[in-house]
Amino acid sequence: MKRTENRMKQKCQKAAWLSLLFLCLAVSSVQADVVFEEGFESGGAGWQISNGVWEIGAPTSGPNAAHSGTRVLATVLAGNYPDDRSSRIMSPAFTVPAADQNPRLRFWHWWSFSARDWGRVQVSADNGATWVNLSPQYQTTSSGKWTRATLDLSAYAGQLVHLGFYFESHEDGWSGADVSTGWYIDEVEVLTGPLPELPIGGLDNFEDADAQNRWSADLGVWEIGTPTVGPTAAHEGMNCLGTILSGNYTDDRTSRVSSPGFTVPSADQNPRLRFWHWWSFSAR
């Protein structure tokens, strides 16, 4: 017991002042089928832009590189987006698979918006005449990291739809132009197949490549990998889930990372959640 306590103390002594939360929580792997995909490496044929802003190519601002390959979809590839602008890029049409196939949109994105500017994912079932919001509103400053979003499409099962990535920028009433590098999107996929699972009684230690598919963050910030700040090591193994693995978290941000769904056992089995975590937060 004493040896265990000493080892835990040594881990705690590695803690920096950096404000982070790391969790080590059930490993499962499911095979999804891709029914629509766009990595923008061939130019994004069939995508239609309204009111400018959007570009497809190799980024030299923002993340300065694609998440995969060399090309992305972005609100300006080299510099800041323009102020006081609204613009949407619309995907080619596709038919959403049946609801029992769990159709869902998944993509990687990186963003940095100024105070009153934002982006949102939308869907249209009438060839772009009207649009419905699919995602939360992505806004505020960047975490400086690529994160993956997953959005449910089952409400549109059987319908011919377009996806829309919509962007708005607004001038600051006091100081005029107020812009940033914008929104960068890569590896857009529509998937079907079993949803990721989190088996009760297992251990999700985030060591396998499929961990990125099991967990989904709504507004960025969260990452899975090897920490180089905070505790500077996982509690066990190499990887953990953290609010930025290599620096401070972003200010003025709320973000939730969600596990796969699972069925809680009956009460007479005493079901409970257990995990290791390390944290350091600022005052508020």
Side-chain angles (χ1 to χ4, degrees):
M1 178 66 74
K2 191 166 185 178
R3 182 177 299 173
T4 301
E5 290 176 354
N6 289 337
R7 187 167 58 188
M8 292 178 67
K9 287 179 181 178
Q10 290 170 1
K11 287 179 177 291
C12 292
Q13 287 167 356
K14 294 180 180 178
W17 60 270
L18 301 164
S19 301
L20 303 142
L21 172 62
F22 293 88
L23 305 179
C24 185
L25 283 170
V27 173
S28 73
S29 179
V30 295
Q31 184 61 47
D33 296 317
V34 179
V35 299
F36 172 89
E37 62 181 334
E38 179 60 80
F40 305 105
E41 296 302 308
S42 299
W47 292 73
Q48 301 177 45
I49 300 171
S50 64
N51 205 24
V53 179
W54 291 96
E55 297 180 289
I56 293 173
T60 58
S61 57
N64 292 306
H67 181 264
S68 179
T70 61
R71 298 163 69 89
V72 300
L73 169 66
T75 54
V76 183
L77 293 165
N80 293 340
Y81 54 77
D83 217 345
D84 196 25
R85 181 73 64 89
S86 63
S87 179
R88 179 185 294 109
I89 186 165
M90 182 174 75
S91 77
F94 62 92
T95 300
V96 179
D100 62 4
Q101 296 183 50
N102 303 308
R104 54 208 185 265
L105 169 66
R106 190 171 68 179
F107 60 96
W108 287 92
H109 61 155
W110 185 107
W111 74 88
S112 177
F113 294 124
S114 191
R116 300 181 60 209
D117 309 334
W118 51 272
R120 197 191 291 268
V121 185
Q122 300 176 322
V123 63
S124 174
D126 54 12
N127 199 34
T130 59
W131 293 89
V132 176
N133 295 329
L134 267 182
S135 75
Q137 190 166 289
Y138 305 119
Q139 59 188 21
T140 73
T141 56
S142 172
S143 65
K145 303 292 181 179
W146 285 95
T147 56
R148 181 182 258 176
T150 302
L151 303 171
D152 185 15
L153 291 174
S154 59
Y156 297 89
Q159 299 184 56
L160 185 69
V161 303
H162 295 268
L163 299 173
F165 291 93
Y166 178 75
F167 163 77
E168 278 193 20
S169 61
H170 302 271
E171 287 190 3
D172 188 309
W174 296 97
S175 59
D178 187 19
V179 295
S180 189
T181 48
W183 197 11
Y184 300 73
I185 297 158
D186 203 1
E187 297 177 77
V188 178
E189 301 174 316
V190 175
L191 308 174
T192 60
L195 294 172
E197 296 179 354
L198 186 69
I200 297 296
L203 171 69
D204 201 338
N205 55 13
F206 308 105
E207 296 298 314
D208 64 306
D210 204 45
Q212 297 278 5
N213 300 328
R214 290 193 298 273
W215 295 78
S216 180
D218 57 1
L219 291 172
V221 179
W222 295 93
E223 294 184 286
I224 291 174
T226 301
T228 60
V229 295
T232 69
H235 179 263
E236 185 174 285
M238 297 294 294
N239 292 345
C240 66
L241 172 67
T243 53
I244 308 302
L245 296 168
S246 59
N248 291 345
Y249 57 75
T250 308
D251 213 349
D252 194 28
R253 178 75 64 89
T254 61
S255 180
R256 178 182 293 108
V257 65
S258 302
S259 76
F262 60 91
T263 300
V264 178
S266 59
D268 60 3
Q269 296 183 55
N270 304 309
R272 52 206 182 271
L273 171 67
R274 187 170 66 181
F275 57 94
W276 287 93
H277 62 152
W278 184 105
W279 73 90
S280 175
F281 296 123
S282 189
R284 298 178 60 196

